[in-house]
Amino acid sequence: MPVRLDPRGVTGPTRGEARGKRWRRSSHGFYLPADVDSSHPEQRIVEASVVVPTGGAITGWGALRWQGATWLSGTNSSGQVLPVPILISTHDIRPQPGLLLSGEGCAADLISRVDGVAVTHPAWSTAFVMRYARTLEEAVVAFEMAAFADLVSYDEIAALVAEQAGWYGVPRARNALPFCGENSWSPMESVMKVLWMQHGGFRMPLQNRPVFDLAGRLIGTPDLFDPIAGVAAEYNGAHHLQRDQYVADVNRAAIFRDHHIEVVERSAGDRREDFVQRLAAAYRRAGRRRTSRTWTIDAPSWWTPTVTVSQRRSLSPADRERLLKNRMR
């Protein structure tokens, strides 16, 4: 946590020490040891927190990250570092690098102190990111990564956005809602879903919905799946190039083919239009199939569903560890 100058040099550096190489200024009036690494999102949030005025709070991606949304790293889709957003309401705070000062305010009961940092409620924080997002994709990713951490549900964000008529960016947030689901496992899965719907023009797919054979055995859990057409999509990140993961992917794709499920893959660097073309071709192939279905999305009675925020919130800590560990594959 940054500290102020201390003439005694006890709780912080003296003015002379602050001019030396052992300390650096983190913001106006606050200092840190020079060897503290400020590249980590949590450290940037902590450094921003000391300038939050009374009644204000960290919001947006910073509040969500601080409360457990680990996918929100404080960078945009281009890799640029984002400033930490702070609600300051009517307070006058000096603009500083690394901070996004917002004159918006929110009710006191929507602000809480988590591990020493004042943050806005997850639903409010999510709506803030969605309203200020540059694109529809970024708005969808923000919600779905907050939902991944079970910080906010679709119903909660929809209700809040409905109340925010007249607020900046509300049309962007509302336009994103029809694309939002509660079971994306990574930002790139969310982006792929927007491509599927917005650019491909296909119906909203299920996200990470388990598929079973007719005997109740798990076939696999595709990233995206249209159970009406029998078309699935998988996003292959860098770890899919590792030998064990590659073998597992090949075997899983073979199982899907055995059950006549068309699978389309997308990898980093894959052009959007190429993915959409492959997806359209998969839909055409699926439309020509006349075989009986050997799969179902109806889970057997012993299966514990975890596809909604509500279902995951109801799990015990032990069940969360057991049932959700594969999400970070």
Side-chain angles (χ1 to χ4, degrees):
M1 184 74 74
V3 294
R4 293 186 180 274
L5 295 174
D6 179 6
R8 300 169 301 165
V10 178
T11 60
T14 64
R15 190 172 298 277
E17 289 173 336
R19 297 193 188 101
K21 296 181 178 180
R22 296 180 58 189
W23 292 85
R24 65 172 176 84
R25 193 175 81 164
S26 61
S27 58
H28 182 72
F30 289 92
Y31 296 84
L32 280 169
D35 59 355
V36 173
D37 184 359
S38 292
S39 64
H40 297 292
E42 284 77 10
Q43 182 60 35
R44 291 168 50 211
I45 294 166
V46 165
E47 293 182 21
S49 71
V50 297
V51 303
V52 172
T54 301
I58 302 292
T59 191
W61 75 263
L64 293 170
R65 173 80 182 203
W66 194 252
Q67 295 174 88
T70 54
W71 276 114
L72 299 178
S73 61
T75 59
N76 62 22
S77 57
S78 301
Q80 297 172 315
V81 175
L82 299 173
V84 179
I86 303 176
L87 291 189
I88 63 172
S89 187
T90 58
H91 291 272
D92 186 16
I93 303 295
R94 179 180 300 185
Q96 301 175 51
L99 304 182
L100 173 64
L101 305 180
S102 171
E104 295 182 357
C106 68
D109 62 354
L110 293 176
I111 296 176
S112 59
R113 189 164 290 275
V114 177
D115 294 332
V117 175
V119 292
T120 53
H121 186 274
W124 181 278
S125 304
T126 304
F128 184 93
V129 182
M130 294 176 72
R131 290 190 288 111
Y132 283 88
R134 299 178 304 170
T135 64
L136 182 143
E137 279 183 7
E138 288 187 0
V140 173
V141 168
F143 168 76
E144 295 197 339
M145 294 305 96
F148 176 90
D150 300 326
L151 293 175
V152 62
S153 70
Y154 181 90
D155 289 344
E156 290 165 351
I157 194 65
L160 179 58
V161 170
E163 296 173 359
Q164 293 183 319
W167 287 69
Y168 176 86
V170 166
R172 167 61 50 77
R174 289 178 177 171
N175 290 339
L177 288 177
F179 295 84
C180 290
E182 294 187 349
N183 200 35
S184 175
W185 291 1
S186 75
M188 291 311 300
E189 287 183 13
S190 301
V191 170
M192 187 167 65
K193 184 182 64 174
V194 174
L195 291 177
W196 179 302
M197 298 173 64
Q198 186 179 43
H199 298 274
F202 301 108
R203 67 180 67 88
M204 186 174 185
L206 301 176
Q207 296 173 279
N208 293 291
R209 177 67 65 88
V211 180
F212 304 87
D213 66 20
L214 299 184
R217 293 182 293 264
L218 179 66
I219 295 173
T221 307
D223 296 341
L224 303 177
F225 186 52
D226 180 344
I228 298 176
V231 174
E234 300 273 22
Y235 182 80
N236 294 334
H239 73 283
H240 286 265
L241 297 176
Q242 299 173 3
R243 185 181 64 180
D244 291 347
Q245 184 61 54
Y246 177 79
V247 172
D249 291 343
V250 169
N251 290 333
R252 185 165 66 160
I255 294 173
F256 283 139
R257 284 196 301 271
D258 288 343
H259 289 274
H260 308 294
I261 294 174
E262 291 286 344
V263 180
V264 182
E265 296 182 344
R266 185 166 192 253
S267 302
D270 195 3
R271 295 194 311 169
R272 294 171 176 234
E273 55 268 31
D274 291 341
F275 168 73
V276 172
Q277 289 176 5
R278 294 196 303 272
L279 182 61
Y283 266 93
R284 290 192 296 270
R285 290 193 300 270
R288 293 193 295 266
R289 291 193 182 279
R290 295 294 182 265
T291 55
S292 299
R293 290 193 170 179
T294 58
W295 53 266
T296 179
I297 58 171
D298 295 331
S301 59
W302 53 267
W303 186 267
T304 302
T306 60
V307 297
T308 68
V309 170
S310 176
Q311 289 168 348
R312 296 191 293 270
R313 284 174 174 173
S314 68
L315 297 174
S316 68
D319 282 343
R320 286 188 65 87
E321 172 64 23
R322 178 175 61 89
L323 298 173
L324 303 182
K325 61 183 179 181
N326 288 334
R327 294 196 305 167
M328 297 301 291
R329 66 183 190 276

